[in-house]
Amino acid sequence: MLSSAKIMAGVNYLFPHKYLMDSDWDKISMGAIPLFAKADIRLAFETQLLRLVAPLNDTHALRFYKEMKTGRLF
């Protein structure tokens, strides 16, 4: 839950294109909370992180995907 809160706060306060996104970030982030609560294993948690970051379409998110692919996330 802490990781998801950090991502949500980072987007809310630091992401300059939040209001230019194709989808509503507030709905995406609020919808992700129950999914993070249900994540009982690391793979489910990391999958939810990817789903949360995917709508950002940002180069920093691309780095996150590459780290997930190589297993160097944590």
Side-chain angles (χ1 to χ4, degrees), residues 18-49:
K18 176 183 169 187
Y19 298 105
L20 300 175
M21 292 174 53
D22 294 334
S23 51
D24 184 12
W25 173 252
D26 294 329
K27 287 182 182 178
I28 292 170
S29 60
M30 295 309 283
I33 292 172
L35 299 174
F36 275 103
K38 291 180 186 177
D40 55 349
I41 59 173
R42 181 178 173 160
L43 180 62
F45 171 74
E46 291 176 353
T47 303
Q48 292 308 322
L49 284 176

